[in-house]
Amino acid sequence: MSAKSVTYNFTSRKKAFGNHWLIFSNKAQCVLSLLSDREVAHWVLNLEFCSNIKSFEFGDYEVEIEINGEKIFAKYRLRVESNKGVEYHKISVSKGEQSKRDAGFLDNFLWREKHIRFRHITDEELNCQRQKIFPLLKLSAFLTASRGQYIPPNLIDSANLYF
């Protein structure tokens, strides 16, 4: 039996395991390629419907830090531009003590040098809001299905008041 999964040859996931989501973002006006359920949860809870977020971009990014002449590379998954400035987000299952220290150090360094914030998003932050995920996904699906259609202004005003 092959070590590769059955879907390996038919998807663009390669060695990634788990759900791969292709979601249209009404805020970014593009199709997002999200590599896990955690990324979907973070997107729908903290990015798509958050008024403080101006724009965001998912990808495989790396930032280079020089400490005492030694170059260190830190990986992150998301660039976010908010009203407060630019942020880099890393999304993972959980944070160990070393990971928490590294994230804090990276945040301090990036803020001092480039005025960029670094956030490490984990299940702990997403679990407390998990009841909101499915309703927001349904809302996103509705907005995507109805994009380009005429919506009466009074309906938009009512929806804004509701939210």
Side-chain angles (χ1 to χ4, degrees):
M1 183 164 171
S2 173
K4 295 179 184 175
S5 71
V6 176
T7 60
Y8 178 85
N9 295 319
F10 303 105
T11 66
S12 61
R13 291 190 294 173
K14 303 300 180 213
K15 295 182 181 179
F17 181 76
N19 294 333
H20 182 195
W21 296 75
L22 293 176
I23 295 178
F24 183 80
S25 169
N26 289 285
K27 183 178 271 190
Q29 290 296 307
C30 67
V31 175
L32 303 175
S33 177
L34 306 180
L35 302 178
S36 70
D37 293 346
R38 284 173 191 84
E39 288 185 1
V40 172
H42 179 55
W43 165 74
V44 78
L45 290 172
N46 302 321
L47 302 172
E48 185 70 10
F49 297 106
C50 182
S51 60
N52 294 333
I53 304 298
K54 294 179 183 176
S55 66
F56 53 87
E57 185 178 342
F58 282 87
D60 294 320
Y61 302 110
E62 201 171 60
V63 64
E64 180 182 325
I65 300 171
E66 189 170 329
I67 303 168
N68 300 331
E70 182 181 346
K71 292 183 180 180
I72 298 172
F73 296 95
K75 294 182 180 184
Y76 60 98
R77 180 75 177 120
L78 178 64
R79 289 182 186 168
V80 176
E81 185 180 337
S82 69
N83 293 339
K84 298 176 183 175
V86 177
E87 296 179 359
Y88 295 161
H89 293 189
K90 178 180 178 179
I91 304 167
S92 67
V93 178
S94 64
K95 286 189 252 191
E97 290 303 317
Q98 182 62 36
S99 183
K100 286 180 184 178
R101 284 192 295 272
D102 291 347
F105 176 77
L106 188 57
D107 181 43
N108 289 335
F109 182 84
L110 285 172
W111 182 250
R112 277 194 323 266
E113 299 295 319
K114 301 180 180 184
H115 294 291
I116 295 173
R117 284 289 177 205
F118 181 82
R119 284 185 60 199
H120 188 170
I121 312 318
T122 63
D123 287 352
E124 294 170 2
E125 296 173 50
L126 299 174
N127 275 340
C128 62
Q129 299 183 62
R130 68 178 177 224
Q131 296 83 9
K132 298 178 184 177
I133 294 171
F134 194 65
L136 288 174
L137 281 175
K138 287 169 51 173
L139 175 60
S140 178
F142 171 76
L143 292 172
T144 299
S146 62
R147 73 174 185 230
Q149 294 182 2
Y150 173 75
I151 299 174
N154 59 349
L155 180 61
I156 294 171
D157 293 339
S158 297
N160 285 334
L161 286 174
Y162 178 77
F163 287 112

